[in-house]
Amino acid sequence: MKNLRQKIESLSLNFAKEMTILAIINVVLLALFIGLFFINISIVLNIGVLIVIVIFNIFYLNRYNGMILEKEKKLDHEFIEIFSYLRIYLYNQETVYTSLKNIKEFASSKMKERLDQLLADIDEDKTVQPFISFARLFQNKVIEEVMISLYEMVNSGNKDIYLNQFVKVFEDFKTRNEQEAEEKRYRKFDTLNMLSVVGSGYIMIVLSLTIISLLGEATNGF
């Protein structure tokens, strides 16, 4: 429960509110299950409601992992956006350090926090380690290659060879990221199509069994 609380609060959500919503929906679903049980319309409907309760709780509690992952992916995308500005500063003969300071004005609060930490680490450590530590804050591991190529410019005085190397690594990363995003969209559509087919099949089965059950009861009545 403590780990769950940490996840919820890391998303700037209220833990008590989230748990209250979960409890209310569970009470409503359980009340529906009990009502159907006493009315005794169909055991299939009772089983269906139980399945819905289980699936809902699994989805509700696991969705925070997805939200955290989505939040991190947004930072990966933001990295591409603001480092495109950094590339412009570098082309204008700005130093790596100055360029990193300049792009902060385009960054979100979370990204700005990471950039501030990177700059503070660079002040204390002139090795590649601050750049690697910054890269490891992101989900996409290719960012580490980008940051290492950026570090190689620090002691080179922005020589063209190192600048071109950085741009190439960055552009390759950007292209790869766009391709992965497109593939993800296609997979999402495929998953939605499959779920709609499965859901339709389940509804048809429930309706069929319910009709059979009702016909059986009507026949017994005669």
Side-chain angles (χ1 to χ4, degrees):
M1 185 62 73
K2 183 179 179 180
N3 188 39
L4 178 62
R5 176 187 286 272
Q6 291 173 345
K7 287 180 182 179
I8 293 173
E9 292 178 348
S10 72
L11 293 165
S12 300
L13 298 173
N14 186 290
F15 177 76
K17 182 179 179 181
E18 292 296 310
M19 292 300 100
T20 299
I21 293 172
L22 177 63
I24 290 172
I25 295 176
N26 270 306
V27 167
V28 171
L29 290 173
L30 285 172
L32 176 62
F33 171 76
I34 294 170
L36 289 173
F37 178 79
F38 282 109
I39 295 174
N40 197 26
I41 295 178
S42 171
I43 190 172
V44 176
L45 285 177
N46 290 345
I47 294 173
V49 173
L50 278 178
I51 293 173
V52 168
I53 292 173
V54 172
I55 292 176
F56 166 74
N57 279 274
I58 292 173
F59 171 79
Y60 191 92
L61 294 174
N62 282 312
R63 85 188 206 283
Y64 299 113
N65 292 327
M67 292 170 69
I68 291 172
L69 183 60
E70 189 63 30
K71 188 177 179 181
E72 291 300 322
K73 285 183 177 179
K74 283 182 180 179
L75 285 170
D76 285 2
H77 293 312
E78 185 182 354
F79 174 89
I80 294 174
E81 181 181 340
I82 66 170
F83 270 68
S84 295
Y85 293 115
L86 180 134
R87 180 181 55 184
I88 296 172
Y89 285 114
L90 293 174
Y91 270 128
N92 289 328
Q93 301 301 312
E94 297 281 4
T95 65
V96 171
Y97 188 87
T98 302
S99 299
L100 288 170
K101 287 179 66 176
N102 289 338
I103 64 173
K104 288 197 300 178
E105 65 177 291
F106 307 107
S108 64
S109 57
K110 188 65 177 180
M111 183 65 77
K112 185 177 179 182
E113 179 184 318
R114 293 184 178 185
L115 287 169
D116 283 336
Q117 186 60 54
L118 171 61
L119 291 167
D121 291 343
I122 291 174
D123 288 336
E124 297 179 1
D125 186 353
K126 304 304 179 184
T127 69
V128 71
Q129 190 55 49
F131 292 82
I132 292 176
S133 297
F134 175 80
R136 288 177 178 172
L137 295 173
F138 297 87
Q139 289 288 317
N140 198 317
K141 301 308 175 186
V142 183
I143 291 177
E144 188 169 323
E145 296 177 22
V146 177
M147 294 306 296
I148 291 173
S149 69
L150 183 63
Y151 166 76
E152 291 175 346
M153 297 178 60
V154 172
N155 297 321
S156 70
N158 282 13
K159 289 180 181 178
D160 289 344
I161 185 172
Y162 291 104
L163 177 56
N164 292 334
Q165 177 181 307
F166 166 74
V167 171
K168 183 180 185 307
V169 173
F170 179 75
E171 286 297 327
D172 288 346
F173 165 65
K174 183 179 178 181
T175 301
R176 197 182 317 172
N177 192 74
E178 290 172 350
Q179 289 174 345
E180 289 175 355
E182 186 174 357
E183 290 173 0
K184 182 183 176 182
R185 282 196 294 272
Y186 285 129
R187 288 197 300 269
K188 185 177 181 180
F189 289 138
D190 290 340
T191 301
L192 288 173
N193 288 333
M194 182 186 69
L195 288 175
S196 64
V197 171
V198 172
S200 298
Y202 176 75
I203 291 171
M204 291 299 296
I205 291 172
V206 170
L207 288 174
S208 298
L209 292 174
T210 302
I211 292 171
I212 292 171
S213 176
L214 290 172
L215 289 173
E217 291 178 1
T219 303
N220 291 334
F222 290 109

